[in-house]
Amino acid sequence: MVPVRKLVNVADLSRDWWDAMYSRCCDIIARPEIYSNSCSGKILASMFYEPSTRTNFSFQAAAQRLGAGVFGFSDPVGTSASKGETLADTIRMTAAYSSTIVIRSPQEGSATASAIFSEVPVINAGDGGHSHPTQTLTDLTTIAQKRGEIGNIRIGLCGDLKHGRTVHSLVEAMEMFPIISFYLISPQELKFPDYVLERMKNQGQTYEETEILADVIPELDVLYMTRIQRERFRDAGEYRRLKDVYVLTKKMLENAKKDMQIMHPLPRVDEISTDVDTDPRAVYFEQARYGMLIRMALLLDFMHLPRIAPVAVYDDPNAADGECTNPACITQSDTYLPKLVSRSGSDRCGYCDKKTTMMLL
Ligand code: NCD
């Protein structure tokens, strides 16, 4: 099997790769000392164009626990991006100095674009409201550790399903596991984007949409809460109107199953009241630790891969004809990028998966 050299979308993750990575993660949990020098001499480049606590720190901690070094930034102001350098050039340089690159950016498709120009593996640590595949590794690890298996569950996804990249990636990864039913709990304004719902339909995933958390809580094996993503709203008034739409309290848990897991990618704002933290069903802080452990397993796969000169990529003849008009897409600023095919349909942008628009000449 040719080793995978990027994790920029969940589509890069196969069931075989997941199984191997998870079993290595279990071994890391059992025998951490065996791994403490397994990436010595390797270097992780950590490029964070957007705020982060867990993802950034957990990658840095994961690399250091494997004996690797780390360099990078958590604010692009100090980099040549502020002088107008393109993403492609910044990636070429960063790859020259490192063994693996982790990138988080507010621009959707930025990790996909980075992988085109990199000699070393690229990991997406969150691209705008689009996807967040290593949070998905974290979430799968938590479910597997807490329930013994990932399939055969009813999972409620609650909150900002429109802008929440973690839930977009999680439902896609769940395609690999049997018998999962979803309850999609959100106000109308914050429903999943159409490309996510279309993919769920095409894959035959079972889901029910509702606005009322209390109605479905007794059914759930896992409740995955999300934050209303203030930074992705164009209309501040709409954010203020919706920001407190869900607040999970200890009282509401009286109707939940005794062995339900409450998950959250964090940071939490007000959507889980602090009196829930001491409930044994609350696993969100443990979840953050599993994130570091599974990222160690991922880095072990990537750090040792040989450096490979990137091949030139040109416009794919099967890419959508129209232009991407999503203002958050990387193609808006980095206009030199080749057109790629979207996994979500032939009328969509290969970077952000949003529908393209035919331009009138
Ligand atoms: C999430 C993110 O950045 O998308 N956080 C994380 O990576 N753990 C969720 C969020 O910011 O709400």
Side-chain angles (χ1 to χ4, degrees):
M1 196 169 84
V2 180
V4 183
R5 293 184 60 85
K6 61 180 170 58
L7 182 56
V8 299
N9 285 307
V10 167
D12 297 320
L13 186 68
S14 63
R15 179 65 200 261
D16 284 352
W17 188 21
W18 161 256
D19 286 343
M21 208 182 327
Y22 180 66
S23 95
R24 189 162 329 101
C25 178
C26 293
D27 198 45
I28 291 170
I29 293 170
R31 309 184 296 159
E33 65 289 349
I34 307 287
Y35 294 89
S36 57
N37 283 314
S38 51
C39 287
S40 101
K42 304 295 177 186
I43 295 181
L44 179 70
S46 165
M47 303 170 62
F48 277 72
Y49 292 89
E50 217 186 28
S52 171
T53 303
R54 273 146 296 274
T55 309
N56 188 356
F57 289 175
S58 69
F59 265 115
Q60 295 198 36
Q64 291 181 37
R65 281 168 184 267
L66 296 169
V70 183
F71 73 85
F73 57 85
S74 51
D75 181 346
V77 168
T79 73
S80 287
S82 62
K83 300 182 191 168
E85 185 171 61
T86 62
L87 178 67
D89 285 358
T90 307
I91 289 292
R92 287 183 177 110
M93 293 302 92
T94 310
Y97 308 138
S98 65
S99 321
T100 293
I101 293 175
V102 177
I103 178 167
R104 166 172 288 194
S105 161
Q107 291 183 291
E108 302 186 4
S110 48
T112 298
S114 302
I116 296 173
F117 304 101
S118 178
E119 295 181 328
V120 298
V122 172
I123 300 171
N124 182 4
D127 60 328
H130 183 231
S131 74
H132 194 349
T134 69
Q135 180 63 44
T136 298
L137 299 181
T138 303
D139 301 339
L140 297 181
T141 304
T142 307
I143 296 171
Q145 287 282 313
K146 290 290 163 189
R147 302 195 68 82
E149 63 168 342
I150 297 175
N152 302 305
I153 51 167
R154 291 174 175 207
I155 174 163
L157 307 175
C158 178
D160 189 347
L161 306 188
K162 177 179 178 187
H163 305 105
R165 54 195 173 193
T166 64
V167 280
H168 302 166
S169 294
L170 182 59
V171 287
E172 189 176 351
M174 288 295 201
E175 288 167 15
M176 299 191 293
F177 303 95
I179 326 180
I180 296 179
S181 344
F182 293 96
Y183 291 89
L184 308 180
I185 310 152
S186 74
Q188 279 300 318
E189 298 88 331
L190 299 180
K191 276 172 56 165
F192 264 149
D194 58 358
Y195 79 90
V196 177
L197 285 175
E198 272 172 33
R199 201 179 50 221
M200 291 181 84
K201 278 186 210 138
N202 292 341
Q203 293 296 324
Q205 286 180 308
T206 313
Y207 66 86
E208 193 179 309
E209 296 183 276
T210 176
E211 297 199 20
I212 319 285
L213 172 58
D215 283 357
V216 296
I217 221 171
E219 308 296 326
L220 303 177
D221 300 307
V222 171
L223 171 59
Y224 192 104
M225 296 296 293
T226 64
R227 170 179 74 90
I228 309 296
Q229 309 266 305
R230 186 181 58 197
E231 68 278 27
R232 313 230 187 267
F233 279 76
R234 303 242 180 76
D235 174 351
E238 181 168 69
Y239 169 71
R240 279 195 299 276
R241 192 164 52 75
L242 294 171
K243 71 184 179 59
D244 297 320
V245 60
Y246 300 111
V247 180
L248 180 70
T249 59
K250 194 159 176 78
K251 180 96 186 99
M252 290 166 76
L253 292 173
E254 283 170 11
N255 297 325
K257 291 184 185 168
K258 295 283 164 266
D259 65 346
M260 181 182 81
Q261 277 83 40
I262 307 162
M263 296 174 59
H264 192 308
L266 303 177
R268 149 185 61 187
V269 187
D270 296 319
E271 60 281 358
I272 301 182
S273 110
T274 51
D275 64 5
V276 174
D277 295 356
T278 48
D279 190 291
R281 289 167 284 194
V283 300
Y284 28 89
F285 296 120
E286 272 175 275
Q287 187 182 346
R289 183 168 164 81
Y290 288 132
M292 177 190 70
L293 296 161
I294 193 73
R295 287 177 174 117
M296 288 173 74
L298 171 64
L299 290 179
L300 262 167
D301 274 341
F302 277 176
M303 292 280 217
H304 295 282
L305 290 178
R307 178 173 290 279
I308 293 182
V311 288
V313 178
Y314 301 101
D315 286 348
D316 190 314
N318 299 316
D321 283 334
E323 296 295 319
C324 180
T325 53
N326 170 13
C329 182
I330 185 71
T331 56
Q332 299 297 314
S333 59
D334 293 50
T335 49
Y336 55 85
L337 289 169
K339 284 194 172 185
L340 303 181
V341 175
S342 164
R343 310 158 286 129
S344 305
S346 55
D347 54 348
R348 293 179 179 278
C349 168
Y351 294 86
C352 68
D353 294 313
K354 302 283 166 16
K355 278 214 164 100
T356 56
T357 313
M358 291 309 284
M359 294 296 176
L360 293 175
L361 292 176

